[in-house]
Structures are given as structure tokens and as C-alpha cells.
């Protein structure tokens, strides 16, 4: 089952934020779920059993889950009242990107946290209780605008980032980071300019640099130079290549500039490094 597509007409475009109040009076069997959006699932009544990225957990009512996009297994169990009820918020990468860019001076998205699992579980507090009441009051109307839904979702994410100290970008963006890294690492040794690599990543140069620093904890130019020097050292030592053969291959315009950069990192010239 692909979520949130399962709840939406297949001819419709998937929105950046999709909300759903889900209720059932029967226990579900274990379902194979493909999350194309990240998920925040509030368990109002009953419990959910989730297996995601080889981690399993039973989540009781009055708790909520923040789960990354990807494949997982889900089971829903009714309460003693024979009812399961949850409130679901599906969030796209692009929505999180806009949030990060909008509040980058107020939220430290670069701070490192160790999110080893694909999801985390939190308990309802007073804010969440009131938040759900207000949100459900809004969606009880026949028509709810996209702007209101996104505004309420933004409110929740800001609360999680500021009050629960959850690095939403790091928690949710694993798949996107992998795609971003692939775009970078496939073009390390090309002659492309940073502006051109940013374009291939569908980003402005400023957004590209911010995203790069969040992932690699250094600037693009420093990281790329380090990678080129490490690769050139490998070529000298293990591929028996000469400095004159590789300096241009690794993006240096002259042998002297390559020699200077190499010596600064390794303490010896490329020629001496090869023979020692």
C-alpha cells in the first residue's frame, strides 16, 4: 500500500502536505506500506505496531510517531472499545526544504543528533492535545484551504524543532541526502562549476551551499579539494601514475598548483609521495 496515495484519487497531484483522520473498527493484518512522504501519526485510540528499518515498536494511544519516508510494516489494533483512531500528517521533502530556508536563522538545522532509527515516538503533551483539537475543528469544515493546512503543519514542526529539540531535517531527509550526495560525488572530478552542480541538484547556489554544509560539515570547495587530493594520492601510490599524468585529470590547471596543494596536505611533493 502506498501512502498517502492510497487516500487520494490517483489522477490528483500529491500535495506537499496531506492530512487524514483515519478510523477503523477492526484490527488490521500486518500491511506492507510504502511511505512516499514522511509521516506524523497521532494515535488517538488503540495502538499501532510499526517495523521500519529493522526496528520494531508497539506505539500505544496518546503517543505519536515521526517516521521517515520508505518501506515499513504496520499493524493497527483496536482499543477495548473496538475502535482504532489516528490523525495522519504526510509531509514532503520540498515542504521541509521551504521550512528550513524560511527559518534557517531561527532553527539550528545543522546541529547533529544521532537518529539511528527510521522513526521516533513521543507522548502527547498539553500542546499536542490542544493542537489536535484545533486542527480537527478546522478539518471538520467541508473545505479547508491548502494554506491553512500548511500553516498548521508548520506550527507543529516549529514546536517539535524548538521545544522538543528535534532536528527535523536530519530525522526526515535521509533519502534526499543520499540523492544529494550522489549528485555531488558523481561530479567531483568533472569540470562543472558549483553553480552548475547546484542547478543539477535543483537548487539555487545559496541553498546548495547551506545544504552541503549541513551534510558534509564543510564548504563545497574545501570538501571537493580534499577528495581530489585523496584520489590523486591513491593514483600515485597504487596505480603507479605520475604527477604529470593526473594533475589535469583532478581539476588542477597546472602541475605547480597541484604540487603546492598536495604538499600542503601530505607534507611532501607528489613525486616524493609516490616513491617513499
Amino acid at each position: 500500500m502506498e501512502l498517502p496515495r492510497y487516500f487520494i484519487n490517483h489522477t490528483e497531484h500529491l500535495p506537499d502536505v496531506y492530512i487524514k483522520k483515519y478510523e477503523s473498527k477492526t484490527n488490521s493484518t500486518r500491511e506492507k506500506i510504502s511511505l512516499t512522504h514522511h509521516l506524523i501519526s497521532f494515535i488517538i485510540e488503540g495502538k499501532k505496531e510499526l517495523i521500519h528499518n529493522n526496528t520494531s515498536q508497539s506505539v500505544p494511544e496518546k503517543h505519536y510517531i515521526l517516521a521517515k519516508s520508505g518501506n515499513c510494516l504496520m499493524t493497527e489494533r483496536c482499543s477495548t472499545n473496538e475502535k482504532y483512531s489516528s490523525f495522519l500528517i504526510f509531509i514532503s521533502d520540498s515542504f521541509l526544504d521551504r521550512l528550513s530556508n524560511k527559518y534557517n536563522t531561527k532553527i539550528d538545522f545543522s546541529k547533529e543528533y544521532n537518529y539511528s532509527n527510521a522513526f521516533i515516538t513521543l507522548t502527547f503533551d498539553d500542546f499536542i492535545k490542544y493542537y489536535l483539537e484545533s486542527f480537527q475543528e478546522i478539518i471538520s469544515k467541508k473545505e479547508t484551504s491548502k494554506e491553512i493546512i500548511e500553516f498548521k503543519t508548520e506550527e507543529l514542526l516549529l514546536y517539535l524543532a524548538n521545544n522538543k529539540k528535534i532536528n527535523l531535517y536530519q530525522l526526515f531527509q535521509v533519502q534526499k541526502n543520499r540523492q544529494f550526495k550522489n549528485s555531488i560525488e558523481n561530479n567531483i572530478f568533472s569540470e562543472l562549476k558549483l553553480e552548475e552542480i547546484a542547478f543539477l541538484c535543483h537548487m539555487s547556489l545559496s541553498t546548495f551551499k547551506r545544504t552541503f554544509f549541513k551534510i558534509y560539515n564543510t564548504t563545497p570547495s574545501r570538501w571537493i579539494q580534499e577528495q581530489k587530493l585523496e584520489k590523486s594520492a591513491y593514483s600515485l601510490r597504487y596505480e603507479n601514475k605520475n604527477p604529470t599524468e593526473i594533475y589535469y585529470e583532478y581539476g588542477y590547471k597546472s602541475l605547480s598548483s597541484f604540487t603546492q596543494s598536495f604538499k600542503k596536505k601530505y607534507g611532501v611533493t607528489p613525486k616524493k609521495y609516490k616513491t617513499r
Side-chain angles (χ1 to χ4, degrees), residues 51-155:
I51 302 175
H52 199 339
N53 196 29
N54 298 320
T55 301
S56 62
Q57 188 169 348
S58 179
V59 185
E61 61 186 53
K62 311 306 179 190
H63 286 67
Y64 57 111
I65 307 163
L66 281 64
K68 301 171 185 176
S69 60
N71 293 339
C72 59
L73 301 173
M74 283 187 190
T75 307
E76 290 153 354
R77 304 291 185 190
C78 294
S79 65
T80 54
N81 296 325
E82 297 184 349
K83 183 179 179 182
Y84 175 84
S85 177
S86 65
F87 185 71
L88 310 173
I89 304 178
F90 297 93
I91 304 165
S92 72
D93 281 342
S94 58
F95 184 81
L96 286 171
D97 270 342
R98 292 203 302 275
L99 186 73
S100 175
N101 293 334
K102 184 176 180 180
Y103 295 102
N104 69 318
T105 59
K106 298 180 181 179
I107 300 176
D108 185 7
F109 283 96
S110 65
K111 188 174 180 180
E112 289 296 321
Y113 292 86
N114 182 23
Y115 295 120
S116 56
N117 297 330
F119 64 92
I120 60 174
T121 303
L122 300 168
T123 307
F124 283 16
D125 57 17
D126 287 340
F127 175 88
I128 293 298
K129 291 174 185 176
Y130 296 137
Y131 174 82
L132 289 174
E133 289 175 6
S134 67
F135 212 155
Q136 292 188 69
E137 177 65 25
I138 289 171
I139 65 172
S140 66
K141 314 285 188 214
K142 286 187 177 181
E143 292 186 6
T144 304
S145 72
K146 167 185 172 233
E147 289 74 20
I148 290 177
I149 290 172
E150 291 190 352
F151 175 79
K152 290 295 292 181
T153 302
E154 186 176 302
E155 177 188 359

Side-chain angles (χ1 to χ4, degrees), residues 16 25 27 40 44 90 114 140-141 157 171 194 200 210 223-224 275:
D16 283 334
K25 293 185 178 180
N27 294 326
I40 303 180
I44 298 169
F90 297 93
N114 182 23
S140 66
K141 314 285 188 214
L157 296 180
L171 172 65
L194 280 185
L200 294 176
R210 284 198 302 270
W223 185 86
I224 290 172
T275 57

Side-chain angles (χ1 to χ4, degrees), residues 31 46 80 103 105 148 219 246 249 268:
E31 291 271 2
T80 54
Y103 295 102
T105 59
I148 290 177
T219 63
I246 63 173
E249 179 182 349
V268 295

Side-chain angles (χ1 to χ4, degrees), residues 95-258:
F95 184 81
L96 286 171
D97 270 342
R98 292 203 302 275
L99 186 73
S100 175
N101 293 334
K102 184 176 180 180
Y103 295 102
N104 69 318
T105 59
K106 298 180 181 179
I107 300 176
D108 185 7
F109 283 96
S110 65
K111 188 174 180 180
E112 289 296 321
Y113 292 86
N114 182 23
Y115 295 120
S116 56
N117 297 330
F119 64 92
I120 60 174
T121 303
L122 300 168
T123 307
F124 283 16
D125 57 17
D126 287 340
F127 175 88
I128 293 298
K129 291 174 185 176
Y130 296 137
Y131 174 82
L132 289 174
E133 289 175 6
S134 67
F135 212 155
Q136 292 188 69
E137 177 65 25
I138 289 171
I139 65 172
S140 66
K141 314 285 188 214
K142 286 187 177 181
E143 292 186 6
T144 304
S145 72
K146 167 185 172 233
E147 289 74 20
I148 290 177
I149 290 172
E150 291 190 352
F151 175 79
K152 290 295 292 181
T153 302
E154 186 176 302
E155 177 188 359
L156 172 64
L157 296 180
L158 289 175
Y159 172 76
L160 293 172
N162 285 313
N163 293 71
K164 297 298 183 180
K165 306 302 179 186
I166 295 173
N167 189 315
L168 299 163
Y169 199 89
Q170 186 181 342
L171 172 65
F172 285 141
Q173 297 287 65
V174 171
Q175 184 62 37
K176 184 169 184 183
N177 285 353
R178 187 178 298 118
Q179 294 170 353
F180 182 88
K181 285 182 176 182
N182 287 341
S183 296
I184 301 302
E185 292 164 12
N186 288 339
N187 288 292
I188 293 173
F189 306 114
S190 70
E191 296 180 3
L192 296 179
K193 298 177 182 178
L194 280 185
E195 294 89 342
E196 294 172 323
I197 298 177
F199 174 79
L200 294 176
C201 292
H202 305 281
M203 295 179 178
S204 66
L205 182 59
S206 59
T207 300
F208 173 84
K209 288 181 177 179
R210 284 198 302 270
T211 304
F212 193 99
F213 195 88
K214 291 170 188 172
I215 296 173
Y216 292 97
N217 201 33
T218 188
T219 63
S221 57
R222 287 178 183 172
W223 185 86
I224 290 172
Q225 183 178 22
E226 286 292 306
Q227 297 301 307
K228 288 180 176 180
L229 289 172
E230 289 178 9
K231 180 62 176 175
S232 65
Y234 181 90
S235 295
L236 290 167
R237 178 69 58 83
Y238 299 105
E239 296 177 346
N240 200 32
K241 291 186 177 181
N242 295 316
T244 52
E245 294 178 274
I246 63 173
Y247 78 89
Y248 186 81
E249 179 182 349
Y250 294 128
Y252 290 89
K253 293 183 178 180
S254 68
L255 180 59
S256 61
S257 62
F258 170 61

Side-chain angles (χ1 to χ4, degrees), residues 24-45:
S24 177
K25 293 185 178 180
T26 58
N27 294 326
S28 71
T29 56
R30 191 157 60 201
E31 291 271 2
K32 293 179 180 178
I33 304 294
S34 177
L35 294 172
T36 57
H37 282 39
H38 311 296
L39 170 66
I40 303 180
S41 177
F42 299 91
I43 315 303
I44 298 169
E45 191 170 352

